[in-house]
Coordinates of all heavy atoms in Angstrom, one line a residue:
A308 N 53.7 8.5 -28.6 CA 53.1 9.6 -27.7 C 52.1 9.0 -26.7 O 51.8 9.7 -25.7 CB 52.3 10.6 -28.6
F309 N 51.7 7.8 -26.9 CA 50.6 7.2 -26.0 C 51.2 6.4 -24.9 O 50.4 5.8 -24.1 CB 49.6 6.4 -26.9 CG 48.9 7.2 -27.9 CD1 49.3 7.2 -29.2 CD2 47.8 7.9 -27.6 CE1 48.6 7.9 -30.2 CE2 47.1 8.6 -28.5 CZ 47.5 8.6 -29.8
A310 N 52.5 6.3 -24.8 CA 53.1 5.4 -23.7 C 54.5 5.9 -23.4 O 55.1 6.6 -24.2 CB 53.1 4.0 -24.2
P311 N 55.0 5.6 -22.2 CA 56.4 5.9 -21.9 C 57.3 5.0 -22.7 O 56.8 3.9 -23.1 CB 56.5 5.6 -20.4 CG 55.4 4.6 -20.1 CD 54.3 5.0 -21.1
G312 N 58.5 5.3 -22.9 CA 59.4 4.5 -23.8 C 60.8 4.2 -23.2 O 61.7 4.9 -23.5
P313 N 60.8 3.2 -22.3 CA 62.2 2.9 -21.8 C 63.1 2.5 -22.9 O 62.7 1.9 -23.9 CB 61.9 1.6 -21.0 CG 60.4 1.7 -20.6 CD 59.8 2.4 -21.7
L314 N 64.3 3.0 -22.9 CA 65.4 2.9 -23.9 C 65.2 3.9 -25.0 O 66.0 4.0 -25.9 CB 65.5 1.5 -24.4 CG 65.9 0.4 -23.3 CD1 66.1 -0.9 -24.0 CD2 67.2 0.9 -22.5
M315 N 64.1 4.6 -25.0 CA 63.9 5.8 -26.0 C 63.2 6.9 -25.2 O 62.2 7.5 -25.7 CB 63.2 5.4 -27.2 CG 64.0 4.4 -28.1 SD 63.3 4.2 -29.8 CE 63.7 5.8 -30.6
A316 N 63.6 7.1 -24.0 CA 62.8 7.9 -23.1 C 62.5 9.3 -23.6 O 61.4 9.8 -23.5 CB 63.5 8.0 -21.7
V317 N 63.6 10.0 -24.1 CA 63.4 11.4 -24.5 C 62.6 11.5 -25.8 O 61.7 12.4 -25.9 CB 64.8 12.0 -24.7 CG1 64.7 13.5 -25.2 CG2 65.6 12.0 -23.4
Y318 N 62.8 10.6 -26.7 CA 62.0 10.6 -27.9 C 60.5 10.4 -27.6 O 59.7 11.1 -28.1 CB 62.5 9.5 -28.9 CG 61.6 9.3 -30.1 CD1 61.7 10.3 -31.1 CD2 60.7 8.3 -30.2 CE1 60.9 10.2 -32.2 CE2 59.9 8.2 -31.3 CZ 60.0 9.1 -32.3 OH 59.1 9.0 -33.4
Y319 N 60.2 9.4 -26.8 CA 58.8 9.1 -26.5 C 58.2 10.3 -25.8 O 57.0 10.7 -26.1 CB 58.6 7.9 -25.6 CG 58.5 6.6 -26.4 CD1 59.6 6.2 -27.2 CD2 57.5 5.7 -26.2 CE1 59.5 5.0 -27.9 CE2 57.4 4.5 -26.9 CZ 58.4 4.1 -27.8 OH 58.3 2.9 -28.4
A320 N 58.9 10.9 -24.9 CA 58.4 12.1 -24.1 C 58.2 13.2 -25.1 O 57.2 14.0 -25.0 CB 59.4 12.4 -23.0
S321 N 59.1 13.4 -26.1 CA 59.0 14.5 -27.0 C 57.7 14.4 -27.8 O 57.0 15.3 -28.1 CB 60.2 14.6 -27.9 OG 60.2 13.6 -28.9
K322 N 57.4 13.1 -28.2 CA 56.2 12.9 -29.0 C 54.9 13.1 -28.2 O 53.8 13.5 -28.7 CB 56.2 11.5 -29.7 CG 57.4 11.5 -30.8 CD 57.2 12.6 -31.8 CE 58.3 12.5 -32.9 NZ 58.1 13.6 -33.9
A323 N 54.9 12.7 -26.9 CA 53.8 13.0 -26.1 C 53.5 14.5 -26.0 O 52.4 15.0 -26.0 CB 54.1 12.5 -24.7
Y324 N 54.6 15.3 -25.9 CA 54.5 16.8 -26.0 C 53.8 17.2 -27.3 O 52.9 18.1 -27.3 CB 55.8 17.4 -25.8 CG 55.8 18.9 -26.0 CD1 55.6 19.8 -24.9 CD2 56.0 19.5 -27.2 CE1 55.6 21.1 -25.1 CE2 56.0 20.9 -27.4 CZ 55.8 21.7 -26.3 OH 55.7 23.0 -26.5
V325 N 54.3 16.7 -28.4 CA 53.8 17.1 -29.7 C 52.3 16.8 -29.8 O 51.5 17.6 -30.2 CB 54.5 16.4 -30.8 CG1 53.9 16.7 -32.2 CG2 56.0 16.9 -30.9
L326 N 51.9 15.6 -29.3 CA 50.5 15.3 -29.4 C 49.6 16.2 -28.5 O 48.6 16.7 -28.9 CB 50.3 13.8 -29.0 CG 48.8 13.3 -28.9 CD1 48.2 13.4 -30.3 CD2 48.8 11.9 -28.3
S327 N 50.1 16.4 -27.3 CA 49.4 17.3 -26.3 C 49.2 18.7 -26.9 O 48.2 19.3 -26.8 CB 50.0 17.3 -25.0 OG 49.4 18.1 -24.0
L328 N 50.3 19.3 -27.3 CA 50.3 20.6 -27.9 C 49.4 20.7 -29.1 O 48.6 21.7 -29.1 CB 51.7 21.0 -28.3 CG 51.8 22.4 -29.0 CD1 51.6 23.5 -28.0 CD2 53.2 22.6 -29.7
S329 N 49.4 19.8 -30.0 CA 48.6 19.8 -31.2 C 47.1 19.8 -30.8 O 46.3 20.5 -31.4 CB 49.0 18.7 -32.1 OG 50.3 18.7 -32.4
R330 N 46.8 18.9 -29.9 CA 45.4 18.8 -29.5 C 44.9 20.1 -28.9 O 43.7 20.5 -29.1 CB 45.2 17.6 -28.6 CG 45.2 16.2 -29.3 CD 45.1 15.1 -28.3 NE 44.8 13.8 -29.0 CZ 44.7 12.7 -28.4 NH1 45.0 12.5 -27.1 NH2 44.4 11.6 -29.1
A331 N 45.7 20.7 -28.1 CA 45.3 21.9 -27.4 C 45.2 23.0 -28.4 O 44.2 23.8 -28.4 CB 46.4 22.3 -26.4
L332 N 46.1 23.1 -29.4 CA 46.0 24.1 -30.4 C 44.7 23.9 -31.3 O 44.1 24.9 -31.7 CB 47.2 24.2 -31.3 CG 48.5 24.6 -30.6 CD1 49.7 24.6 -31.6 CD2 48.4 25.9 -29.9
A333 N 44.4 22.7 -31.6 CA 43.3 22.3 -32.4 C 42.0 22.9 -31.7 O 41.1 23.4 -32.4 CB 43.2 20.8 -32.6
A334 N 42.0 22.8 -30.4 CA 40.8 23.3 -29.6 C 40.8 24.8 -29.6 O 39.7 25.4 -29.8 CB 40.8 22.7 -28.2
E335 N 41.9 25.4 -29.5 CA 42.0 26.9 -29.5 C 41.6 27.5 -30.8 O 41.0 28.6 -30.7 CB 43.4 27.3 -29.1 CG 43.9 27.0 -27.7 CD 45.2 27.6 -27.4 OE1 45.7 28.4 -28.2 OE2 45.8 27.3 -26.3
V336 N 41.9 26.9 -31.9 CA 41.6 27.5 -33.2 C 40.3 27.0 -33.8 O 40.0 27.4 -35.0 CB 42.8 27.3 -34.2 CG1 44.1 27.9 -33.6 CG2 43.0 25.9 -34.5
G337 N 39.6 26.2 -33.1 CA 38.3 25.8 -33.6 C 37.4 26.9 -34.0 O 37.2 27.8 -33.3
G338 N 36.9 26.9 -35.3 CA 36.1 28.0 -35.8 C 36.9 29.2 -36.4 O 36.3 30.1 -36.8
A339 N 38.2 29.1 -36.3 CA 39.0 30.2 -36.9 C 39.5 30.0 -38.3 O 40.3 30.7 -38.8 CB 40.2 30.4 -35.9
G340 N 39.0 28.9 -38.9 CA 39.4 28.6 -40.3 C 40.8 27.9 -40.4 O 41.3 27.8 -41.4
V341 N 41.3 27.4 -39.2 CA 42.6 26.8 -39.2 C 42.5 25.4 -38.6 O 41.8 25.2 -37.7 CB 43.6 27.6 -38.3 CG1 45.0 26.9 -38.3 CG2 43.7 29.0 -38.8
I342 N 43.1 24.4 -39.3 CA 43.1 23.0 -38.8 C 44.5 22.6 -38.3 O 45.5 22.8 -39.0 CB 42.7 22.1 -40.0 CG1 41.3 22.5 -40.5 CG2 42.8 20.6 -39.6 CD1 41.0 21.8 -41.8
V343 N 44.5 22.1 -37.1 CA 45.7 21.6 -36.5 C 45.6 20.1 -36.4 O 44.6 19.6 -35.7 CB 46.1 22.2 -35.2 CG1 47.4 21.6 -34.6 CG2 46.2 23.7 -35.3
T344 N 46.5 19.3 -36.9 CA 46.4 17.8 -36.9 C 47.7 17.2 -36.4 O 48.8 17.6 -36.8 CB 46.2 17.3 -38.3 OG1 45.0 17.9 -38.9 CG2 46.0 15.8 -38.3
A345 N 47.5 16.3 -35.4 CA 48.6 15.5 -34.9 C 48.6 14.2 -35.6 O 47.5 13.5 -35.6 CB 48.6 15.3 -33.4
V346 N 49.6 13.8 -36.3 CA 49.7 12.5 -37.0 C 50.6 11.6 -36.2 O 51.7 11.9 -35.8 CB 50.3 12.7 -38.4 CG1 50.4 11.4 -39.1 CG2 49.4 13.7 -39.2
C347 N 50.0 10.4 -35.9 CA 50.7 9.4 -35.1 C 51.0 8.1 -35.8 O 50.1 7.2 -35.8 CB 49.8 9.2 -33.8 SG 49.5 10.6 -32.8
P348 N 52.1 8.1 -36.5 CA 52.4 6.8 -37.2 C 53.0 5.8 -36.2 O 53.6 6.2 -35.2 CB 53.5 7.2 -38.2 CG 53.6 8.7 -38.1 CD 53.0 9.1 -36.8
G349 N 52.9 4.5 -36.5 CA 53.6 3.5 -35.8 C 54.9 3.2 -36.6 O 55.4 4.1 -37.3

């Protein structure tokens, strides 16, 4: 999610989306009793 991925372009782009969405949701639900976590394995 942290870099573009030549030869895996769509996969890398999809994970950048997941990270961005998750961080945005985590901010939106702060204080609502809900935890949103993006997990980024290597």
